[in-house]
Amino acid sequence: MADNMHRRAKKSLGQNYLVTDAVAERIVEALSPEQGELIFEIGPGRGALTSHLSASGADVVAFEIDKVLAEELKREFRDNGNIEIVREDILKIDFDREAEKRGKKKYKIIGNIPYMLSSTILLGIPGWDGSTRTVIMVQKEVAERIVTPVGERNCGLLTVFLQSYLNVEKVLKVVAGSFCPRPGVDSAVLRFIPFRKEGAPADRMLYFAFLKKAFSMRRKKLRNVLFREDTAAKREGAERLEILSGVDMSKRAENLKLDDWFNLFSSYVEMG
Ligand code: SAM
């Protein structure tokens, strides 16, 4: 069976299948699936997580882009009334709309996702309004960066953006040997729970664009990153922003706390 998995796995779709069942079980446990609740699975592959989800009695909708896999999964789960397999590209899916179609407002999301989709999918999480909990596997280094406390050295754009809207925790490390074919890197499973943080910007897109700019030269002082030309207007702009926001503009992006980011962003927007 492992040989078969190897031969057919498509690298372009990030097809590394989880083959250690105890790990699959622990990942699903991290989601705490409950009878009757709606769960969306991203990239079910050969059903490693899907079968544990099915056993929980939750209503599972699993989106798989690969036609052959989707057909196989449909056959495998045809007698499980609580499993719906949809052949679709996850990037085309609006989870809130999918939930509404099924008469639900709230849902959970789970996925051992292809690494090349990690950033795109992670960035979408704060915008999934009905999501109550998300459990996603990513490359170990990406996971470590995301859970780094905001204001510490390893923190980056994704760290600040995600932690502005969600509580994030690393629940499990998964070694490369748990997959077939074996990937070149280890993985980790993250759990995201929405959390309304005082002062978090309502305009997430604009906030993200601002953070992207601020982190574009992470070793430089913020005043030089946010106001690039060396002119009197720049110096004045940086000074005004410092007074308005109360944030020291000689700091670097990685040194700011969450409240600093919220203040800096709202003052930056206010300045126009
Ligand atoms: N969840 C399975 C497991 O743990 O063994 C499979 C994991 S594998 C890393 C990723 C899966 O996502 C593959 O089955 C792949 O075909 C699927 N996939 C890749 N791109 C996708 C996309 N854009 N939309 C939906 N599924 C996708």
Side-chain angles (χ1 to χ4, degrees), residues 53-266:
L53 291 167
S54 174
S56 74
D59 291 328
V60 180
V61 184
F63 299 97
E64 172 56 61
I65 198 169
D66 186 308
K67 184 169 182 252
V68 176
L69 284 178
E71 291 308 319
E72 278 178 12
L73 287 164
K74 280 182 193 172
R75 272 197 300 280
E76 186 180 338
F77 292 104
R78 67 176 166 242
D79 296 330
N80 301 53
N82 61 332
I83 302 285
E84 183 187 344
I85 306 292
V86 179
R87 188 201 163 201
E88 188 53 276
D89 180 350
I90 201 64
L91 300 179
K92 295 190 182 147
I93 297 298
D94 175 333
F95 291 117
D96 291 313
R97 186 140 19 99
E98 292 295 329
E100 202 181 304
K101 276 201 246 169
R102 292 165 179 85
K104 301 254 171 101
K105 277 205 161 66
K106 299 287 174 199
Y107 53 85
K108 291 177 176 171
I109 303 220
I110 191 165
N112 286 349
I113 56 177
Y115 291 141
M116 61 272 193
L117 296 187
S118 296
S119 299
T120 312
I121 289 177
L122 291 170
L123 286 173
I125 301 178
W128 302 340
D129 289 334
S131 152
T132 57
R133 179 177 286 229
T134 298
V135 171
I136 296 271
M137 168 137 41
V138 294
Q139 203 174 315
K140 192 177 122 228
E141 288 70 22
V142 175
E144 275 159 8
R145 187 178 279 268
I146 289 173
V147 298
T148 298
V150 174
E152 287 189 11
R153 193 143 193 258
N154 193 32
C155 96
L157 169 61
L158 266 181
T159 323
V160 178
F161 183 65
L162 294 173
Q163 290 192 27
S164 293
Y165 303 101
L166 305 147
N167 282 340
V168 184
E169 92 195 95
K170 185 167 133 193
V171 289
L172 187 67
K173 185 184 157 194
V174 186
V175 294
S178 302
F179 297 91
C180 180
R182 186 192 170 102
V185 291
D186 289 334
S187 301
V189 177
L190 296 177
R191 177 166 49 205
F192 299 88
I193 299 183
F195 183 79
R196 194 170 287 281
K197 297 191 182 168
E198 184 80 37
D203 190 336
R204 287 188 302 266
M205 301 289 270
L206 200 58
Y207 180 51
F208 179 72
F210 172 74
L211 292 176
K212 201 168 168 188
K213 184 171 184 182
F215 273 100
S216 60
M217 291 182 281
R218 49 184 298 131
R219 313 297 308 159
K220 289 204 171 182
K221 292 176 182 167
L222 279 167
R223 77 160 59 86
N224 298 326
V225 182
L226 295 176
F227 301 89
R228 292 195 184 163
E229 319 79 48
D230 190 18
T231 58
K234 168 197 138 168
R235 285 188 289 277
E236 202 179 295
E239 262 167 43
R240 256 192 82 204
L241 186 56
E242 184 162 290
I243 293 165
L244 265 179
S245 66
V247 176
D248 178 354
M249 296 296 286
S250 65
K251 284 189 172 176
R252 293 171 177 80
E254 62 188 17
N255 303 129
L256 263 52
K257 301 276 187 212
L258 220 42
D259 278 345
D260 293 332
W261 282 114
F262 296 164
N263 291 335
L264 193 64
F265 174 69
S266 65

